[in-house]
Amino acid sequence: MNSLQNIVSHFQLKGTALSPEPLGAGLINDSYLVRTAENDCPDYVLQRINHAIFQDVDLLQHNIRCVTEHIRHKLEAAQTPDIDRRVLSFIPAEDNKDYWFDGSHYWRMMRYINDSYTHQAVTPTSSRNAGLAFGHFQAQLADLPQQLGETIPNFHNMEFRLQQLDEAVAADPVGRVAGVQDLLEAIETRRTKMCQAEQLHREGKLPKRICHCDTKVNNMLFDKDDNILCVIDLDTVMPSFVFSDFGDFLRTGANPVPEDEPNLELIDFDLEIFKAFTEGYLQSARSFLTPLEIELLPYAAMLFPYMQFVRFLTDWINGDTYYKIQYPQHNLVRSRAQHQLLLRVEAQEATMREYILSQTC
Ligand code: GN1
Ligand code: MG
């Protein structure tokens, strides 16, 4: 028995597990497909959890269990067909724990959803589907009774991200601050506006809800007829402002070029993508969003380029300690690209507002 098969043997799966094969190309966790010999037994996915990023594995798996069980109960109550393909199901380890620790790594197992596909391309159709799927996911969890924790503390907290930048600027460990004064000024002038979510939350006007916090187009599964099955990659599901799921999708989805595009002229904010995503999102999330949350959706579209700009610039000033870089100036190029995207989104603020009004009247 090889070591992966040995790991599989610690989970309570049905059937005879065959040798695990590498699955997908995730950047965070390592995944393996575990087929079973019997036709009437499901296949499984074995994952090694990235413990360096997700330091509290108990909390991580607690969140995921609460979320998937809640969604499953709702699907059962609605007598939805084919439930095992519409929500992820995790398989307990030998002691009924949510994961198995082999002495140095943490492992988990879930059911493999057969005949499912992901999309990589952002089109108006896939954006509308993404809006529908992520809005529906938030709606399904709007009445979750349990408290969830933050699997990455302060992940989308703008005040915290600015504090990290301030500390980097004060320390200036590699002497890069003098060269980025224009960028620091651009951050400074928007500081109060961009921290308004935290401020409104303190005033009791803005709730935190359970959000996905990694709303990429390839984090949705579709069946062969292109119907949405479910949302996947639940590691960052945590309490946040709804802006996380709205703003971060548009940050990558509505920009036609990669987030580190060096040619600033190519960076844009595609209004057709914005409209399609917003239409889908409002359709499935309108039932629980407050008027203030809806009013602040254009702010969400600006917040995420701004937050990513702050995070990349912080890493540049710190000497490239967090994000992997492909060339020496990479984090500076990324910072300038996100700044440019922010300018492009800001230029569309009035148009975004009008469109949202037209969808909600
Ligand atoms: C990181 O690894 P990836 O690409 O899924 C980061 C996100 C950033 C993104 C920017 C845990 O995500 O928050 O938006 O880079 N994830 C973490 O490329 O920090
Ligand atoms: Mg990710």
Side-chain angles (χ1 to χ4, degrees):
M1 195 156 55
N2 73 27
S3 58
L4 282 173
Q5 276 173 306
N6 177 32
I7 288 155
V8 171
S9 73
H10 293 279
F11 287 88
Q12 303 177 30
L13 48 78
K14 281 200 200 94
T16 316
L18 303 176
S19 193
E21 306 153 30
L23 177 71
L27 297 179
I28 304 282
N29 302 308
D30 296 323
S31 304
Y32 302 88
L33 174 59
V34 183
R35 293 200 186 275
T36 50
E38 299 80 0
N39 280 336
D40 57 345
C41 291
D43 297 327
Y44 298 92
V45 177
L46 173 70
Q47 273 188 330
R48 189 174 73 181
I49 298 170
N50 187 324
H51 181 222
I53 293 185
F54 300 104
Q55 299 189 353
D56 188 342
V57 178
D58 280 299
L59 172 72
L60 175 72
Q61 290 306 110
H62 163 82
N63 279 6
I64 293 179
R65 179 157 41 77
C66 293
V67 163
T68 52
E69 284 179 1
H70 189 73
I71 293 177
R72 177 171 291 270
H73 289 151
K74 285 208 161 161
L75 295 172
E76 282 166 1
Q79 300 190 331
T80 312
D82 212 9
I83 290 180
D84 282 333
R85 305 178 76 223
R86 292 177 193 281
V87 61
L88 297 178
S89 16
F90 286 81
I91 311 300
E94 59 197 357
D95 48 5
N96 276 334
K97 274 191 104 159
D98 296 327
Y99 58 84
W100 188 67
F101 181 57
D102 69 6
S104 47
H105 297 293
Y106 294 82
W107 299 85
R108 69 183 167 204
M109 179 91 93
M110 65 190 114
R111 225 180 143 108
Y112 178 67
I113 300 182
N114 283 307
D115 297 323
S116 62
Y117 307 90
T118 54
H119 287 288
Q120 302 299 334
V122 178
T123 60
T125 305
S126 69
S127 298
R128 192 171 174 281
N129 279 327
L132 280 170
F134 291 116
H136 180 60
F137 182 76
Q138 289 181 342
Q140 285 176 312
L141 298 170
D143 59 350
L144 184 79
Q146 297 97 337
Q147 288 272 324
L148 300 191
E150 294 185 336
T151 55
I152 301 175
N154 292 312
F155 190 40
H156 284 167
N157 179 335
M158 195 59 248
E159 288 177 349
F160 174 75
R161 296 302 182 185
L162 283 164
Q163 188 188 321
Q164 289 183 312
L165 174 66
D166 294 342
E167 285 164 13
V169 169
D172 195 11
V174 286
R176 290 177 173 174
V177 168
V180 293
Q181 286 305 319
D182 59 327
L183 294 179
L184 288 170
E185 211 178 295
I187 288 168
E188 200 50 45
T189 55
R190 293 165 172 87
R191 193 180 271 259
T192 311
K193 179 174 182 185
M194 290 300 162
C195 290
Q196 64 176 300
E198 279 78 21
Q199 182 58 34
L200 288 165
H201 182 64
R202 270 193 296 276
E203 293 167 10
K205 295 177 183 158
L206 190 68
K208 288 196 181 180
R209 303 183 187 277
I210 305 307
C211 297
H212 185 275
C213 295
D214 192 14
T215 45
K216 295 199 188 87
V217 72
N218 59 5
N219 276 339
M220 298 177 288
L221 286 188
F222 293 83
D223 69 13
K224 62 175 182 355
D225 301 319
D226 230 14
N227 300 306
I228 302 166
L229 286 169
C230 62
V231 159
I232 56 169
D233 198 354
L234 305 181
D235 291 328
T236 52
V237 173
M238 63 176 109
S240 192
F241 302 117
V242 290
F243 310 147
S244 290
D245 291 353
F246 187 83
D248 213 19
F249 180 87
L250 291 172
R251 182 182 75 80
T252 51
N255 178 1
V257 291
E259 65 177 0
D260 58 353
E261 174 60 50
N263 182 350
L264 300 185
E265 282 170 23
L266 300 179
I267 295 170
D268 201 1
F269 185 67
D270 183 338
L271 272 177
E272 290 316 303
I273 299 294
F274 165 81
K275 287 180 182 172
F277 181 75
T278 303
E279 189 199 319
Y281 179 71
L282 284 175
Q283 190 175 321
S284 54
R286 199 192 318 257
S287 61
F288 68 86
L289 292 175
T290 66
L292 183 61
E293 285 174 312
I294 294 176
E295 186 190 321
L296 288 176
L297 291 177
Y299 155 74
M302 294 181 268
L303 176 63
F304 278 80
Y306 179 79
M307 190 183 303
Q308 203 57 59
F309 171 27
V310 168
R311 292 178 68 189
F312 283 148
L313 189 63
T314 303
D315 203 34
W316 169 251
I317 292 172
N318 279 336
D320 313 310
T321 58
Y322 188 85
Y323 294 106
K324 285 187 192 136
I325 53 168
Q326 266 111 46
Y327 52 92
Q329 305 277 309
H330 204 166
N331 272 318
L332 182 59
V333 168
R334 286 167 169 155
S335 306
R336 292 204 181 279
Q338 293 299 298
H339 174 231
Q340 178 67 16
L341 177 61
L342 173 64
L343 297 175
R344 303 294 302 171
V345 185
E346 284 175 342
Q348 306 286 0
E349 187 174 354
T351 315
M352 288 193 283
R353 213 171 285 291
E354 268 166 41
Y355 182 74
I356 288 167
L357 261 178
S358 77
Q359 291 291 298
T360 46
C361 287

